[in-house]
Amino acid sequence: MVDLRAVAEDYLSHRFPRADPTYRRPTPRLDARFCRRVARLHDRAPLLGAGTEDAYLALRQEDLRQYRAIRDAGVRVRPWRGAGQPYPDSPTLIDEVTRTGVLWLYLTRSGHGPGSTDGHPMRHPSGVVEDGEPLCHNDILRVVHDLFGHVALRAGFGPRGEFAATGGHLLLYPARAWPALFTEQIGQICWYFYGDHLATGPRRYPEQKVFLYPPAFLDEFRGLLQPAR
């Protein structure tokens, strides 16, 4: 059995030696008005925004470092080729990964939402192959988010759990990657749970856009995170 919180703390101590190596789950204050503002900006944003390259490059590079740390710790990643999602809920994900040391990965090609594909930096090949399946960068992000976010921090799949997972996981990235991580995680979570589309239809994956929110959004999100415990 792999202690993913210990893996995260070891990663912190080696990758960011000046930072506090304690890896704990923050307690987010969920602000529906903030979430709706995030979702509405996503609706107005361009499909491919300008000035995103540095943040997305930093995100992809750090994802790969974290992925290697996870694999070096003995966690196996298996592509999920079955019907539907591999885990019905977060307790099942946390329990099964903790017991078995195996994560079943829901592949990006099985579900990523409409919008940009070839032009999306997270759809580019990562160079990682698992069980004969080439993984794109979004697959790598899904792995490290599930393991360092949901499993290590015991965070659920609802909006509060996703805020906690991303808020804690943020510390494993350099600051220049934070804007891209905010777009990919908090931007999409807010749209999924609080978007205006819910007034006329069901929840669905948001349109996949490549843009960065104004820095004030990231600052406000961090301000919603209570001290880690």
Side-chain angles (χ1 to χ4, degrees):
M1 183 170 64
V2 177
D3 183 345
L4 282 163
R5 183 175 289 189
V7 176
E9 292 185 341
D10 182 69
Y11 187 88
L12 270 171
S13 66
H14 287 88
R15 179 76 177 107
F16 305 105
R18 295 183 180 180
D20 180 354
T22 305
Y23 191 65
R24 292 177 180 162
R25 182 181 66 194
T27 302
R29 179 171 61 85
L30 200 61
D31 184 337
R33 290 174 298 179
F34 170 74
C35 294
R36 285 192 289 269
R37 285 193 289 112
V38 171
R40 287 168 182 163
L41 196 149
H42 182 281
D43 281 332
R44 298 193 303 269
L47 195 63
L48 290 171
T52 64
E53 292 84 1
D54 184 65
Y56 270 90
L57 177 61
L59 177 66
R60 292 185 300 176
Q61 290 175 335
E62 206 66 35
D63 286 340
L64 286 169
R65 289 189 181 97
Q66 293 176 25
Y67 190 90
R68 287 193 292 270
I70 285 165
R71 295 292 281 111
D72 289 345
V75 177
R76 294 183 61 201
V77 176
R78 302 285 306 280
W80 176 256
R81 298 185 176 98
Q85 296 275 357
Y87 304 103
D89 49 42
S90 56
T92 303
L93 165 71
I94 294 166
D95 175 67
E96 291 193 6
V97 171
T98 300
R99 286 190 300 102
T100 67
V102 175
L103 173 74
W104 288 97
L105 167 65
Y106 182 69
L107 295 163
T108 297
R109 65 177 175 81
S110 299
H112 192 216
S116 174
T117 53
D118 292 342
H120 200 301
M122 302 305 287
R123 292 297 296 265
H124 293 175
S126 70
V128 176
V129 178
E130 296 287 2
D131 288 356
E133 183 77 43
L135 304 186
C136 69
H137 282 285
N138 192 64
D139 292 321
I140 302 299
L141 175 58
R142 285 183 174 179
V143 169
V144 298
H145 173 75
D146 279 352
L147 293 177
F148 282 142
H150 292 290
V151 178
L153 298 176
R154 302 296 193 263
F157 289 159
R160 193 180 303 277
E162 293 288 358
F163 269 43
T166 302
H169 193 197
L170 200 71
L171 300 179
L172 299 187
Y173 291 87
R176 68 189 185 101
W178 291 356
L181 185 65
F182 182 90
T183 296
E184 292 297 309
Q185 295 293 346
I186 300 304
Q188 297 200 22
I189 286 298
C190 287
W191 192 92
Y192 182 81
F193 283 106
Y194 292 92
D196 290 339
H197 67 287
L198 295 173
T200 57
R203 290 195 177 104
R204 60 183 186 272
Y205 287 127
E207 188 173 18
Q208 298 301 308
K209 297 181 175 183
V210 183
F211 72 99
L212 302 179
Y213 283 80
F217 279 82
L218 178 59
D219 292 341
E220 189 170 352
F221 168 68
R222 296 185 68 205
L224 293 172
L225 302 175
Q226 302 300 315
R229 59 183 176 85

mmCIF file with all atom_site columns, all heavy atoms in Angstrom, residues 161-179:
data_model
loop_
_atom_site.group_PDB
_atom_site.id
_atom_site.type_symbol
_atom_site.label_atom_id
_atom_site.label_alt_id
_atom_site.label_comp_id
_atom_site.label_asym_id
_atom_site.label_entity_id
_atom_site.label_seq_id
_atom_site.pdbx_PDB_ins_code
_atom_site.Cartn_x
_atom_site.Cartn_y
_atom_site.Cartn_z
_atom_site.occupancy
_atom_site.B_iso_or_equiv
_atom_site.pdbx_formal_charge
_atom_site.auth_seq_id
_atom_site.auth_comp_id
_atom_site.auth_asym_id
_atom_site.auth_atom_id
_atom_site.pdbx_PDB_model_num
ATOM 1   N N   . GLY A 1 161 ? -15.150 19.359 -2.767  1.00 0.00 ? 161 GLY A N   1
ATOM 2   C CA  . GLY A 1 161 ? -14.044 18.410 -2.835  1.00 0.00 ? 161 GLY A CA  1
ATOM 3   C C   . GLY A 1 161 ? -13.058 18.752 -3.933  1.00 0.00 ? 161 GLY A C   1
ATOM 4   O O   . GLY A 1 161 ? -11.843 18.630 -3.753  1.00 0.00 ? 161 GLY A O   1
ATOM 5   N N   . GLU A 1 162 ? -13.575 19.200 -5.079  1.00 0.00 ? 162 GLU A N   1
ATOM 6   C CA  . GLU A 1 162 ? -12.687 19.583 -6.178  1.00 0.00 ? 162 GLU A CA  1
ATOM 7   C C   . GLU A 1 162 ? -11.878 20.828 -5.820  1.00 0.00 ? 162 GLU A C   1
ATOM 8   O O   . GLU A 1 162 ? -10.699 20.936 -6.177  1.00 0.00 ? 162 GLU A O   1
ATOM 9   C CB  . GLU A 1 162 ? -13.490 19.826 -7.458  1.00 0.00 ? 162 GLU A CB  1
ATOM 10  C CG  . GLU A 1 162 ? -14.143 18.583 -8.037  1.00 0.00 ? 162 GLU A CG  1
ATOM 11  C CD  . GLU A 1 162 ? -13.150 17.614 -8.677  1.00 0.00 ? 162 GLU A CD  1
ATOM 12  O OE1 . GLU A 1 162 ? -11.939 17.923 -8.718  1.00 0.00 ? 162 GLU A OE1 1
ATOM 13  O OE2 . GLU A 1 162 ? -13.589 16.554 -9.138  1.00 0.00 ? 162 GLU A OE2 1
ATOM 14  N N   . PHE A 1 163 ? -12.499 21.765 -5.104  1.00 0.00 ? 163 PHE A N   1
ATOM 15  C CA  . PHE A 1 163 ? -11.757 22.937 -4.655  1.00 0.00 ? 163 PHE A CA  1
ATOM 16  C C   . PHE A 1 163 ? -10.637 22.518 -3.695  1.00 0.00 ? 163 PHE A C   1
ATOM 17  O O   . PHE A 1 163 ? -9.516  23.028 -3.753  1.00 0.00 ? 163 PHE A O   1
ATOM 18  C CB  . PHE A 1 163 ? -12.694 23.920 -3.956  1.00 0.00 ? 163 PHE A CB  1
ATOM 19  C CG  . PHE A 1 163 ? -13.309 24.943 -4.871  1.00 0.00 ? 163 PHE A CG  1
ATOM 20  C CD1 . PHE A 1 163 ? -13.806 24.575 -6.112  1.00 0.00 ? 163 PHE A CD1 1
ATOM 21  C CD2 . PHE A 1 163 ? -13.400 26.268 -4.494  1.00 0.00 ? 163 PHE A CD2 1
ATOM 22  C CE1 . PHE A 1 163 ? -14.377 25.506 -6.967  1.00 0.00 ? 163 PHE A CE1 1
ATOM 23  C CE2 . PHE A 1 163 ? -13.965 27.212 -5.337  1.00 0.00 ? 163 PHE A CE2 1
ATOM 24  C CZ  . PHE A 1 163 ? -14.458 26.834 -6.578  1.00 0.00 ? 163 PHE A CZ  1
ATOM 25  N N   . ALA A 1 164 ? -10.948 21.582 -2.781  1.00 0.00 ? 164 ALA A N   1
ATOM 26  C CA  . ALA A 1 164 ? -9.943  21.111 -1.833  1.00 0.00 ? 164 ALA A CA  1
ATOM 27  C C   . ALA A 1 164 ? -8.823  20.371 -2.554  1.00 0.00 ? 164 ALA A C   1
ATOM 28  O O   . ALA A 1 164 ? -7.629  20.564 -2.256  1.00 0.00 ? 164 ALA A O   1
ATOM 29  C CB  . ALA A 1 164 ? -10.588 20.214 -0.782  1.00 0.00 ? 164 ALA A CB  1
ATOM 30  N N   . ALA A 1 165 ? -9.194  19.503 -3.510  1.00 0.00 ? 165 ALA A N   1
ATOM 31  C CA  . ALA A 1 165 ? -8.195  18.727 -4.244  1.00 0.00 ? 165 ALA A CA  1
ATOM 32  C C   . ALA A 1 165 ? -7.257  19.644 -5.016  1.00 0.00 ? 165 ALA A C   1
ATOM 33  O O   . ALA A 1 165 ? -6.024  19.479 -4.985  1.00 0.00 ? 165 ALA A O   1
ATOM 34  C CB  . ALA A 1 165 ? -8.881  17.744 -5.189  1.00 0.00 ? 165 ALA A CB  1
ATOM 35  N N   . THR A 1 166 ? -7.827  20.627 -5.716  1.00 0.00 ? 166 THR A N   1
ATOM 36  C CA  . THR A 1 166 ? -6.993  21.537 -6.508  1.00 0.00 ? 166 THR A CA  1
ATOM 37  C C   . THR A 1 166 ? -6.223  22.495 -5.614  1.00 0.00 ? 166 THR A C   1
ATOM 38  O O   . THR A 1 166 ? -5.053  22.789 -5.868  1.00 0.00 ? 166 THR A O   1
ATOM 39  C CB  . THR A 1 166 ? -7.862  22.326 -7.501  1.00 0.00 ? 166 THR A CB  1
ATOM 40  O OG1 . THR A 1 166 ? -8.560  21.411 -8.348  1.00 0.00 ? 166 THR A OG1 1
ATOM 41  C CG2 . THR A 1 166 ? -7.011  23.245 -8.356  1.00 0.00 ? 166 THR A CG2 1
ATOM 42  N N   . GLY A 1 167 ? -6.861  22.986 -4.554  1.00 0.00 ? 167 GLY A N   1
ATOM 43  C CA  . GLY A 1 167 ? -6.180  23.906 -3.651  1.00 0.00 ? 167 GLY A CA  1
ATOM 44  C C   . GLY A 1 167 ? -4.971  23.289 -2.978  1.00 0.00 ? 167 GLY A C   1
ATOM 45  O O   . GLY A 1 167 ? -3.927  23.939 -2.807  1.00 0.00 ? 167 GLY A O   1
ATOM 46  N N   . GLY A 1 168 ? -5.079  22.027 -2.586  1.00 0.00 ? 168 GLY A N   1
ATOM 47  C CA  . GLY A 1 168 ? -3.933  21.338 -2.005  1.00 0.00 ? 168 GLY A CA  1
ATOM 48  C C   . GLY A 1 168 ? -2.880  20.994 -3.045  1.00 0.00 ? 168 GLY A C   1
ATOM 49  O O   . GLY A 1 168 ? -1.675  21.206 -2.840  1.00 0.00 ? 168 GLY A O   1
ATOM 50  N N   . HIS A 1 169 ? -3.346  20.489 -4.185  1.00 0.00 ? 169 HIS A N   1
ATOM 51  C CA  . HIS A 1 169 ? -2.444  20.044 -5.248  1.00 0.00 ? 169 HIS A CA  1
ATOM 52  C C   . HIS A 1 169 ? -1.654  21.208 -5.844  1.00 0.00 ? 169 HIS A C   1
ATOM 53  O O   . HIS A 1 169 ? -0.546  21.028 -6.364  1.00 0.00 ? 169 HIS A O   1
ATOM 54  C CB  . HIS A 1 169 ? -3.273  19.339 -6.331  1.00 0.00 ? 169 HIS A CB  1
ATOM 55  C CG  . HIS A 1 169 ? -2.474  18.575 -7.320  1.00 0.00 ? 169 HIS A CG  1
ATOM 56  N ND1 . HIS A 1 169 ? -2.986  18.168 -8.530  1.00 0.00 ? 169 HIS A ND1 1
ATOM 57  C CD2 . HIS A 1 169 ? -1.188  18.131 -7.300  1.00 0.00 ? 169 HIS A CD2 1
ATOM 58  C CE1 . HIS A 1 169 ? -2.064  17.510 -9.202  1.00 0.00 ? 169 HIS A CE1 1
ATOM 59  N NE2 . HIS A 1 169 ? -0.958  17.477 -8.480  1.00 0.00 ? 169 HIS A NE2 1
ATOM 60  N N   . LEU A 1 170 ? -2.211  22.408 -5.773  1.00 0.00 ? 170 LEU A N   1
ATOM 61  C CA  . LEU A 1 170 ? -1.557  23.603 -6.295  1.00 0.00 ? 170 LEU A CA  1
ATOM 62  C C   . LEU A 1 170 ? -0.130  23.748 -5.764  1.00 0.00 ? 170 LEU A C   1
ATOM 63  O O   . LEU A 1 170 ? 0.766   24.228 -6.458  1.00 0.00 ? 170 LEU A O   1
ATOM 64  C CB  . LEU A 1 170 ? -2.377  24.829 -5.883  1.00 0.00 ? 170 LEU A CB  1
ATOM 65  C CG  . LEU A 1 170 ? -2.213  26.139 -6.645  1.00 0.00 ? 170 LEU A CG  1
ATOM 66  C CD1 . LEU A 1 170 ? -2.828  26.020 -8.039  1.00 0.00 ? 170 LEU A CD1 1
ATOM 67  C CD2 . LEU A 1 170 ? -2.880  27.278 -5.888  1.00 0.00 ? 170 LEU A CD2 1
ATOM 68  N N   . LEU A 1 171 ? 0.099   23.302 -4.531  1.00 0.00 ? 171 LEU A N   1
ATOM 69  C CA  . LEU A 1 171 ? 1.398   23.484 -3.889  1.00 0.00 ? 171 LEU A CA  1
ATOM 70  C C   . LEU A 1 171 ? 2.495   22.628 -4.525  1.00 0.00 ? 171 LEU A C   1
ATOM 71  O O   . LEU A 1 171 ? 3.671   22.856 -4.278  1.00 0.00 ? 171 LEU A O   1
ATOM 72  C CB  . LEU A 1 171 ? 1.293   23.160 -2.399  1.00 0.00 ? 171 LEU A CB  1
ATOM 73  C CG  . LEU A 1 171 ? 0.308   24.028 -1.613  1.00 0.00 ? 171 LEU A CG  1
ATOM 74  C CD1 . LEU A 1 171 ? 0.270   23.594 -0.163  1.00 0.00 ? 171 LEU A CD1 1
ATOM 75  C CD2 . LEU A 1 171 ? 0.679   25.507 -1.727  1.00 0.00 ? 171 LEU A CD2 1
ATOM 76  N N   . LEU A 1 172 ? 2.108   21.638 -5.326  1.00 0.00 ? 172 LEU A N   1
ATOM 77  C CA  . LEU A 1 172 ? 3.098   20.790 -5.989  1.00 0.00 ? 172 LEU A CA  1
ATOM 78  C C   . LEU A 1 172 ? 3.538   21.358 -7.338  1.00 0.00 ? 172 LEU A C   1
ATOM 79  O O   . LEU A 1 172 ? 4.265   20.700 -8.085  1.00 0.00 ? 172 LEU A O   1
ATOM 80  C CB  . LEU A 1 172 ? 2.544   19.377 -6.201  1.00 0.00 ? 172 LEU A CB  1
ATOM 81  C CG  . LEU A 1 172 ? 2.151   18.593 -4.943  1.00 0.00 ? 172 LEU A CG  1
ATOM 82  C CD1 . LEU A 1 172 ? 1.781   17.166 -5.312  1.00 0.00 ? 172 LEU A CD1 1
ATOM 83  C CD2 . LEU A 1 172 ? 3.257   18.595 -3.900  1.00 0.00 ? 172 LEU A CD2 1
ATOM 84  N N   . TYR A 1 173 ? 3.101   22.578 -7.646  1.00 0.00 ? 173 TYR A N   1
ATOM 85  C CA  . TYR A 1 173 ? 3.429   23.224 -8.918  1.00 0.00 ? 173 TYR A CA  1
ATOM 86  C C   . TYR A 1 173 ? 4.170   24.538 -8.680  1.00 0.00 ? 173 TYR A C   1
ATOM 87  O O   . TYR A 1 173 ? 3.924   25.217 -7.680  1.00 0.00 ? 173 TYR A O   1
ATOM 88  C CB  . TYR A 1 173 ? 2.147   23.543 -9.703  1.00 0.00 ? 173 TYR A CB  1
ATOM 89  C CG  . TYR A 1 173 ? 1.404   22.350 -10.225 1.00 0.00 ? 173 TYR A CG  1
ATOM 90  C CD1 . TYR A 1 173 ? 0.457   21.707 -9.435  1.00 0.00 ? 173 TYR A CD1 1
ATOM 91  C CD2 . TYR A 1 173 ? 1.642   21.855 -11.510 1.00 0.00 ? 173 TYR A CD2 1
ATOM 92  C CE1 . TYR A 1 173 ? -0.236  20.605 -9.906  1.00 0.00 ? 173 TYR A CE1 1
ATOM 93  C CE2 . TYR A 1 173 ? 0.953   20.761 -11.994 1.00 0.00 ? 173 TYR A CE2 1
ATOM 94  C CZ  . TYR A 1 173 ? 0.018   20.138 -11.189 1.00 0.00 ? 173 TYR A CZ  1
ATOM 95  O OH  . TYR A 1 173 ? -0.664  19.043 -11.654 1.00 0.00 ? 173 TYR A OH  1
ATOM 96  N N   . PRO A 1 174 ? 5.021   24.938 -9.619  1.00 0.00 ? 174 PRO A N   1
ATOM 97  C CA  . PRO A 1 174 ? 5.586   26.289 -9.548  1.00 0.00 ? 174 PRO A CA  1
ATOM 98  C C   . PRO A 1 174 ? 4.489   27.307 -9.845  1.00 0.00 ? 174 PRO A C   1
ATOM 99  O O   . PRO A 1 174 ? 3.518   27.005 -10.552 1.00 0.00 ? 174 PRO A O   1
ATOM 100 C CB  . PRO A 1 174 ? 6.663   26.273 -10.640 1.00 0.00 ? 174 PRO A CB  1
ATOM 101 C CG  . PRO A 1 174 ? 6.180   25.264 -11.630 1.00 0.00 ? 174 PRO A CG  1
ATOM 102 C CD  . PRO A 1 174 ? 5.489   24.204 -10.809 1.00 0.00 ? 174 PRO A CD  1
ATOM 103 N N   . ALA A 1 175 ? 4.648   28.512 -9.359  1.00 0.00 ? 175 ALA A N   1
ATOM 104 C CA  . ALA A 1 175 ? 3.600   29.527 -9.496  1.00 0.00 ? 175 ALA A CA  1
ATOM 105 C C   . ALA A 1 175 ? 3.260   29.827 -10.953 1.00 0.00 ? 175 ALA A C   1
ATOM 106 O O   . ALA A 1 175 ? 2.113   30.162 -11.267 1.00 0.00 ? 175 ALA A O   1
ATOM 107 C CB  . ALA A 1 175 ? 4.025   30.807 -8.775  1.00 0.00 ? 175 ALA A CB  1
ATOM 108 N N   . ARG A 1 176 ? 4.232   29.672 -11.848 1.00 0.00 ? 176 ARG A N   1
ATOM 109 C CA  . ARG A 1 176 ? 3.931   30.018 -13.245 1.00 0.00 ? 176 ARG A CA  1
ATOM 110 C C   . ARG A 1 176 ? 2.978   29.013 -13.894 1.00 0.00 ? 176 ARG A C   1
ATOM 111 O O   . ARG A 1 176 ? 2.391   29.306 -14.937 1.00 0.00 ? 176 ARG A O   1
ATOM 112 C CB  . ARG A 1 176 ? 5.218   30.154 -14.064 1.00 0.00 ? 176 ARG A CB  1
ATOM 113 C CG  . ARG A 1 176 ? 6.006   28.888 -14.311 1.00 0.00 ? 176 ARG A CG  1
ATOM 114 C CD  . ARG A 1 176 ? 7.360   29.207 -14.934 1.00 0.00 ? 176 ARG A CD  1
ATOM 115 N NE  . ARG A 1 176 ? 8.123   28.025 -15.293 1.00 0.00 ? 176 ARG A NE  1
ATOM 116 C CZ  . ARG A 1 176 ? 8.212   27.544 -16.517 1.00 0.00 ? 176 ARG A CZ  1
ATOM 117 N NH1 . ARG A 1 176 ? 7.590   28.145 -17.514 1.00 0.00 ? 176 ARG A NH1 1
ATOM 118 N NH2 . ARG A 1 176 ? 8.929   26.464 -16.766 1.00 0.00 ? 176 ARG A NH2 1
ATOM 119 N N   . ALA A 1 177 ? 2.785   27.836 -13.280 1.00 0.00 ? 177 ALA A N   1
ATOM 120 C CA  . ALA A 1 177 ? 1.819   26.862 -13.802 1.00 0.00 ? 177 ALA A CA  1
ATOM 121 C C   . ALA A 1 177 ? 0.421   27.076 -13.235 1.00 0.00 ? 177 ALA A C   1
ATOM 122 O O   . ALA A 1 177 ? -0.555  26.538 -13.767 1.00 0.00 ? 177 ALA A O   1
ATOM 123 C CB  . ALA A 1 177 ? 2.287   25.443 -13.480 1.00 0.00 ? 177 ALA A CB  1
ATOM 124 N N   . TRP A 1 178 ? 0.294   27.844 -12.162 1.00 0.00 ? 178 TRP A N   1
ATOM 125 C CA  . TRP A 1 178 ? -0.990  27.988 -11.483 1.00 0.00 ? 178 TRP A CA  1
ATOM 126 C C   . TRP A 1 178 ? -2.105  28.521 -12.383 1.00 0.00 ? 178 TRP A C   1
ATOM 127 O O   . TRP A 1 178 ? -3.231  28.018 -12.314 1.00 0.00 ? 178 TRP A O   1
ATOM 128 C CB  . TRP A 1 178 ? -0.844  28.877 -10.251 1.00 0.00 ? 178 TRP A CB  1
ATOM 129 C CG  . TRP A 1 178 ? -0.047  28.265 -9.143  1.00 0.00 ? 178 TRP A CG  1
ATOM 130 C CD1 . TRP A 1 178 ? 0.486   27.002 -9.094  1.00 0.00 ? 178 TRP A CD1 1
ATOM 131 C CD2 . TRP A 1 178 ? 0.335   28.901 -7.918  1.00 0.00 ? 178 TRP A CD2 1
ATOM 132 N NE1 . TRP A 1 178 ? 1.175   26.800 -7.927  1.00 0.00 ? 178 TRP A NE1 1
ATOM 133 C CE2 . TRP A 1 178 ? 1.095   27.956 -7.178  1.00 0.00 ? 178 TRP A CE2 1
ATOM 134 C CE3 . TRP A 1 178 ? 0.109   30.159 -7.385  1.00 0.00 ? 178 TRP A CE3 1
ATOM 135 C CZ2 . TRP A 1 178 ? 1.630   28.245 -5.925  1.00 0.00 ? 178 TRP A CZ2 1
ATOM 136 C CZ3 . TRP A 1 178 ? 0.634   30.460 -6.138  1.00 0.00 ? 178 TRP A CZ3 1
ATOM 137 C CH2 . TRP A 1 178 ? 1.382   29.510 -5.418  1.00 0.00 ? 178 TRP A CH2 1
ATOM 138 N N   . PRO A 1 179 ? -1.861  29.539 -13.233 1.00 0.00 ? 179 PRO A N   1
ATOM 139 C CA  . PRO A 1 179 ? -2.968  30.026 -14.069 1.00 0.00 ? 179 PRO A CA  1
ATOM 140 C C   . PRO A 1 179 ? -3.544  28.953 -14.992 1.00 0.00 ? 179 PRO A C   1
ATOM 141 O O   . PRO A 1 179 ? -4.765  28.881 -15.175 1.00 0.00 ? 179 PRO A O   1
ATOM 142 C CB  . PRO A 1 179 ? -2.328  31.164 -14.866 1.00 0.00 ? 179 PRO A CB  1
ATOM 143 C CG  . PRO A 1 179 ? -1.191  31.627 -14.007 1.00 0.00 ? 179 PRO A CG  1
ATOM 144 C CD  . PRO A 1 179 ? -0.656  30.375 -13.377 1.00 0.00 ? 179 PRO A CD  1
#
